[in-house]
Amino acid sequence: AWMWKRHAGFDVVTYKGVSNTQHLNHSLGKAPEMIWIKNRTKTTWFGNSQDWLVYHKGVNGGTNPDQYYLWLNSTNAEASSQYYFGAAPTATDFAVSRNNGRTGDHDQKYIAMLFASANDADGNPISKVDGYDGDTNAQDKTISCGFQPRFVIAKCSTVGGSYNHWFVFDSVRGAGSGNDKTLRLDVNEAQTTNSDIIEFNSNGFIVKAGYQLNEGSRKYIYYAHS
C-alpha cells in the first residue's frame, strides 16, 4: 500500500460547495503545490463525468497555474479555465470557484487531497512536487529531488493522448534498471512490464529517452516521495 500521513507534505480537506468562491483552510503550513479534487455527491455534471480535477504548480510552465487544470483519470493535456480555482493557493488556504460541479457546486460535497514538497524533522527533503522539460537531444535526463525516491508519479502536461498517462512507479514493485513495473492512474488496467522508463538514484531519478516521460519540446510534471 502507499500510505500518506497528514503532515507537512500532505493534507485532506472535505467541504461542501456554496454559492460563491470559497477559501478553504489547510494544515500544510505552506502553499500546496498539487491538489486533487473530486465531487462526492454526483456522478455527472451537465452530462459529463465527475472527473478528478488536478491543480499542479508546474502547468503552463509554472505561470498562473491556478488558471489551468488536468484530469487525474485522463491522458488529456493541461487546459485553461478560470472556473475551477478561485485564486492561487497560499500557505493557509486554497480557493475553489463557485457554481461548477467539479470544485464548488452549491450544497455538493467534495474531497481535496493536497500535496507539497516537504522536509523531515532534520531538514532533509523527503517529497518533491515539480516539473521538467523533455530532453531535445533524445538523451536520458536526470531529475534532481535532493533524495532517493521510492515513489514517483509523472505525466506529460503539454501533450495528451496515447502514451501520455499518469505513470506511477515505486521501488517495492521494481522501478530501477531494466523494464519497470508501471501503473497508470488514468486506466483500470494491471501494471505493464515491457518498458524501461525510469531509474531511481541517490539524488532523484532518471527518465529514459523516449515518448513516455522524456520527449523533446514537451513539459512534464511529477510528485516524488522518499
Side-chain angles (χ1 to χ4, degrees):
W2 307 315
M3 303 178 72
W4 279 259
K5 179 179 179 181
R6 295 178 68 187
H7 194 51
F10 178 68
D11 194 13
V12 177
V13 177
T14 58
Y15 64 95
K16 183 182 287 187
V18 297
S19 58
N20 55 11
T21 297
Q22 290 191 82
H23 290 263
L24 300 154
N25 292 333
H26 63 79
S27 62
L28 291 178
K30 63 188 73 176
E33 297 168 307
M34 180 171 68
I35 305 173
W36 301 349
I37 298 178
K38 179 74 168 64
N39 186 318
R40 297 183 292 137
T41 304
K42 291 186 176 181
T43 57
T44 61
W45 182 64
F46 286 96
N48 298 312
S49 62
Q50 292 286 15
D51 304 287
W52 284 86
L53 191 77
V54 177
Y55 163 90
H56 193 288
K57 75 170 191 177
V59 297
N60 195 38
T63 301
N64 299 322
D66 56 293
Q67 297 178 22
Y68 289 77
Y69 68 95
L70 289 158
W71 303 125
L72 191 63
N73 53 300
S74 169
T75 60
N76 288 359
E78 64 189 38
S80 62
S81 176
Q82 298 180 356
Y83 297 107
Y84 297 134
F85 305 105
T90 73
T92 58
D93 63 56
F94 65 102
V96 292
S97 293
R98 63 182 177 88
N99 294 335
N100 79 82
R102 270 59 181 270
T103 61
D105 205 8
H106 183 65
D107 275 344
Q108 294 186 32
K109 296 178 181 179
Y110 297 84
I111 185 170
M113 301 179 183
L114 289 69
F115 302 81
S117 303
N119 297 337
D120 64 16
D122 296 321
N124 301 309
I126 57 172
S127 68
K128 181 79 169 177
V129 182
D130 210 347
Y132 62 91
D133 294 333
D135 189 274
T136 57
N137 296 316
Q139 301 291 320
D140 295 353
K141 182 160 187 170
T142 299
I143 311 302
S144 177
C145 300
F147 57 86
Q148 181 165 335
R150 292 183 295 166
F151 176 87
V152 172
I153 297 175
K155 187 190 187 311
C156 177
S157 60
T158 53
V159 178
S162 299
Y163 307 114
N164 294 301
H165 298 280
W166 288 89
F167 290 101
V168 181
F169 311 92
D170 66 70
S171 58
V172 174
R173 287 185 305 113
S177 60
N179 290 349
D180 304 300
K181 294 180 179 179
T182 307
L183 286 168
R184 297 167 291 174
L185 294 181
D186 49 272
V187 295
N188 61 349
E189 299 173 0
Q191 65 186 7
T192 60
T193 59
N194 58 354
S195 296
D196 185 11
I197 303 173
I198 195 171
E199 293 181 10
F200 296 166
N201 63 28
S202 60
N203 195 52
F205 58 96
I206 300 167
V207 281
K208 311 296 286 186
Y211 54 82
Q212 290 105 332
L213 288 175
N214 183 14
E215 187 169 349
S217 302
R218 298 186 179 188
K219 293 184 180 296
Y220 299 83
I221 57 174
Y222 73 87
Y223 168 77
H225 203 288
S226 65

Short mmCIF file of all heavy atoms in Angstrom, two decimals, residues 12-37:
data_model
loop_
_atom_site.label_atom_id
_atom_site.label_comp_id
_atom_site.label_asym_id
_atom_site.label_seq_id
_atom_site.Cartn_x
_atom_site.Cartn_y
_atom_site.Cartn_z
N VAL A 12 -5.71 16.38 3.74
CA VAL A 12 -7.00 16.06 3.13
C VAL A 12 -8.04 17.00 3.71
O VAL A 12 -8.12 17.18 4.93
CB VAL A 12 -7.41 14.60 3.40
CG1 VAL A 12 -8.79 14.32 2.81
CG2 VAL A 12 -6.39 13.64 2.84
N VAL A 13 -8.82 17.62 2.82
CA VAL A 13 -9.87 18.55 3.24
C VAL A 13 -11.18 18.13 2.59
O VAL A 13 -11.23 17.91 1.37
CB VAL A 13 -9.53 20.00 2.83
CG1 VAL A 13 -10.67 20.95 3.21
CG2 VAL A 13 -8.22 20.45 3.47
N THR A 14 -12.23 17.99 3.38
CA THR A 14 -13.56 17.78 2.83
C THR A 14 -14.37 19.06 3.01
O THR A 14 -14.19 19.77 4.00
CB THR A 14 -14.28 16.60 3.52
OG1 THR A 14 -14.37 16.85 4.91
CG2 THR A 14 -13.51 15.31 3.29
N TYR A 15 -15.25 19.34 2.07
CA TYR A 15 -16.02 20.58 2.15
C TYR A 15 -17.30 20.46 1.34
O TYR A 15 -17.47 19.51 0.55
CB TYR A 15 -15.19 21.76 1.66
CG TYR A 15 -14.79 21.70 0.20
CD1 TYR A 15 -15.54 22.35 -0.79
CD2 TYR A 15 -13.64 21.01 -0.20
CE1 TYR A 15 -15.16 22.30 -2.13
CE2 TYR A 15 -13.26 20.96 -1.53
CZ TYR A 15 -14.02 21.60 -2.49
OH TYR A 15 -13.66 21.54 -3.81
N LYS A 16 -18.20 21.42 1.55
CA LYS A 16 -19.44 21.50 0.80
C LYS A 16 -19.43 22.76 -0.04
O LYS A 16 -19.03 23.84 0.42
CB LYS A 16 -20.64 21.52 1.75
CG LYS A 16 -21.99 21.54 1.03
CD LYS A 16 -23.15 21.60 2.02
CE LYS A 16 -23.32 20.28 2.73
NZ LYS A 16 -24.56 20.27 3.58
N GLY A 17 -19.86 22.65 -1.29
CA GLY A 17 -19.90 23.81 -2.18
C GLY A 17 -20.92 24.85 -1.72
O GLY A 17 -21.93 24.52 -1.09
N VAL A 18 -20.64 26.09 -2.02
CA VAL A 18 -21.53 27.20 -1.69
C VAL A 18 -21.79 28.01 -2.96
O VAL A 18 -21.36 27.65 -4.05
CB VAL A 18 -20.93 28.09 -0.58
CG1 VAL A 18 -20.76 27.30 0.71
CG2 VAL A 18 -19.58 28.67 -1.01
N SER A 19 -22.48 29.14 -2.81
CA SER A 19 -22.89 29.92 -3.98
C SER A 19 -21.87 30.98 -4.38
O SER A 19 -22.14 31.80 -5.25
CB SER A 19 -24.24 30.58 -3.70
OG SER A 19 -24.17 31.41 -2.55
N ASN A 20 -20.70 30.98 -3.74
CA ASN A 20 -19.64 31.90 -4.15
C ASN A 20 -18.28 31.22 -3.98
O ASN A 20 -18.20 30.09 -3.51
CB ASN A 20 -19.70 33.21 -3.35
CG ASN A 20 -19.66 32.97 -1.85
OD1 ASN A 20 -19.38 31.87 -1.41
ND2 ASN A 20 -19.95 33.98 -1.09
N THR A 21 -17.22 31.90 -4.38
CA THR A 21 -15.88 31.33 -4.26
C THR A 21 -15.54 31.10 -2.79
O THR A 21 -15.77 31.96 -1.95
CB THR A 21 -14.85 32.25 -4.91
OG1 THR A 21 -15.13 32.35 -6.30
CG2 THR A 21 -13.43 31.73 -4.72
N GLN A 22 -14.98 29.93 -2.51
CA GLN A 22 -14.58 29.60 -1.14
C GLN A 22 -13.07 29.60 -0.99
O GLN A 22 -12.36 29.15 -1.89
CB GLN A 22 -15.07 28.20 -0.76
CG GLN A 22 -16.53 28.03 -0.58
CD GLN A 22 -16.84 26.69 0.05
OE1 GLN A 22 -16.76 26.49 1.27
NE2 GLN A 22 -17.18 25.74 -0.80
N HIS A 23 -12.60 30.06 0.16
CA HIS A 23 -11.20 29.92 0.55
C HIS A 23 -11.18 28.94 1.71
O HIS A 23 -11.65 29.24 2.81
CB HIS A 23 -10.60 31.27 0.93
CG HIS A 23 -10.41 32.18 -0.24
ND1 HIS A 23 -9.22 32.32 -0.89
CD2 HIS A 23 -11.29 32.98 -0.88
CE1 HIS A 23 -9.35 33.18 -1.90
NE2 HIS A 23 -10.60 33.60 -1.90
N LEU A 24 -10.62 27.75 1.47
CA LEU A 24 -10.68 26.65 2.42
C LEU A 24 -9.34 26.48 3.12
O LEU A 24 -8.28 26.42 2.47
CB LEU A 24 -11.04 25.37 1.69
CG LEU A 24 -12.40 25.42 0.97
CD1 LEU A 24 -12.43 24.45 -0.19
CD2 LEU A 24 -13.52 25.13 1.95
N ASN A 25 -9.36 26.40 4.43
CA ASN A 25 -8.14 26.28 5.21
C ASN A 25 -7.53 24.88 5.06
O ASN A 25 -8.24 23.89 4.88
CB ASN A 25 -8.41 26.55 6.68
CG ASN A 25 -8.77 27.99 6.95
OD1 ASN A 25 -8.37 28.88 6.21
ND2 ASN A 25 -9.54 28.23 7.99
N HIS A 26 -6.22 24.82 5.14
CA HIS A 26 -5.50 23.55 5.18
C HIS A 26 -4.40 23.64 6.23
O HIS A 26 -4.16 24.72 6.81
CB HIS A 26 -4.91 23.22 3.79
CG HIS A 26 -3.89 24.19 3.30
ND1 HIS A 26 -2.58 24.18 3.74
CD2 HIS A 26 -3.97 25.22 2.41
CE1 HIS A 26 -1.90 25.14 3.15
NE2 HIS A 26 -2.71 25.79 2.33
N SER A 27 -3.71 22.53 6.49
CA SER A 27 -2.74 22.48 7.58
C SER A 27 -1.31 22.25 7.12
O SER A 27 -0.45 21.89 7.93
CB SER A 27 -3.14 21.36 8.57
OG SER A 27 -3.11 20.10 7.92
N LEU A 28 -1.01 22.46 5.83
CA LEU A 28 0.33 22.19 5.33
C LEU A 28 1.38 23.16 5.87
O LEU A 28 2.56 22.82 5.96
CB LEU A 28 0.34 22.25 3.80
CG LEU A 28 -0.40 21.13 3.06
CD1 LEU A 28 -0.34 21.38 1.56
CD2 LEU A 28 0.19 19.78 3.39
N GLY A 29 0.97 24.38 6.17
CA GLY A 29 1.93 25.39 6.60
C GLY A 29 2.72 26.00 5.46
O GLY A 29 3.63 26.79 5.66
N LYS A 30 2.37 25.65 4.24
CA LYS A 30 2.97 26.17 3.02
C LYS A 30 1.95 26.02 1.91
O LYS A 30 0.96 25.28 2.06
CB LYS A 30 4.26 25.42 2.67
CG LYS A 30 4.03 23.95 2.36
CD LYS A 30 5.34 23.20 2.21
CE LYS A 30 6.01 23.02 3.55
NZ LYS A 30 7.24 22.20 3.44
N ALA A 31 2.15 26.70 0.82
CA ALA A 31 1.19 26.60 -0.28
C ALA A 31 1.22 25.21 -0.89
O ALA A 31 2.29 24.69 -1.21
CB ALA A 31 1.51 27.64 -1.35
N PRO A 32 0.07 24.56 -1.05
CA PRO A 32 0.05 23.26 -1.73
C PRO A 32 0.51 23.42 -3.17
O PRO A 32 0.19 24.40 -3.84
CB PRO A 32 -1.42 22.84 -1.66
CG PRO A 32 -2.18 24.08 -1.39
CD PRO A 32 -1.27 24.98 -0.62
N GLU A 33 1.27 22.44 -3.65
CA GLU A 33 1.83 22.50 -4.99
C GLU A 33 1.11 21.56 -5.96
O GLU A 33 1.27 21.66 -7.17
CB GLU A 33 3.31 22.16 -4.93
CG GLU A 33 4.10 23.18 -4.12
CD GLU A 33 5.50 22.71 -3.80
OE1 GLU A 33 5.66 21.59 -3.26
OE2 GLU A 33 6.45 23.46 -4.11
N MET A 34 0.33 20.65 -5.42
CA MET A 34 -0.54 19.79 -6.22
C MET A 34 -1.80 19.53 -5.41
O MET A 34 -1.74 19.30 -4.20
CB MET A 34 0.15 18.47 -6.57
CG MET A 34 -0.71 17.54 -7.41
SD MET A 34 0.19 16.08 -8.06
CE MET A 34 0.54 15.17 -6.55
N ILE A 35 -2.96 19.59 -6.08
CA ILE A 35 -4.25 19.36 -5.42
C ILE A 35 -5.09 18.45 -6.32
O ILE A 35 -5.20 18.69 -7.52
CB ILE A 35 -5.02 20.68 -5.17
CG1 ILE A 35 -4.16 21.67 -4.38
CG2 ILE A 35 -6.33 20.40 -4.44
CD1 ILE A 35 -4.80 23.06 -4.25
N TRP A 36 -5.68 17.42 -5.71
CA TRP A 36 -6.66 16.58 -6.40
C TRP A 36 -8.02 16.84 -5.76
O TRP A 36 -8.15 16.79 -4.53
CB TRP A 36 -6.33 15.10 -6.25
CG TRP A 36 -5.00 14.67 -6.76
CD1 TRP A 36 -4.12 15.39 -7.52
CD2 TRP A 36 -4.37 13.40 -6.53
NE1 TRP A 36 -3.00 14.67 -7.79
CE2 TRP A 36 -3.13 13.42 -7.20
CE3 TRP A 36 -4.75 12.25 -5.85
CZ2 TRP A 36 -2.25 12.34 -7.19
CZ3 TRP A 36 -3.89 11.17 -5.83
CH2 TRP A 36 -2.64 11.21 -6.50
N ILE A 37 -9.05 17.09 -6.58
CA ILE A 37 -10.39 17.35 -6.07
C ILE A 37 -11.40 16.46 -6.77
O ILE A 37 -11.36 16.31 -7.99
CB ILE A 37 -10.79 18.83 -6.25
CG1 ILE A 37 -9.85 19.75 -5.47
CG2 ILE A 37 -12.23 19.07 -5.80
CD1 ILE A 37 -10.14 21.23 -5.63
#
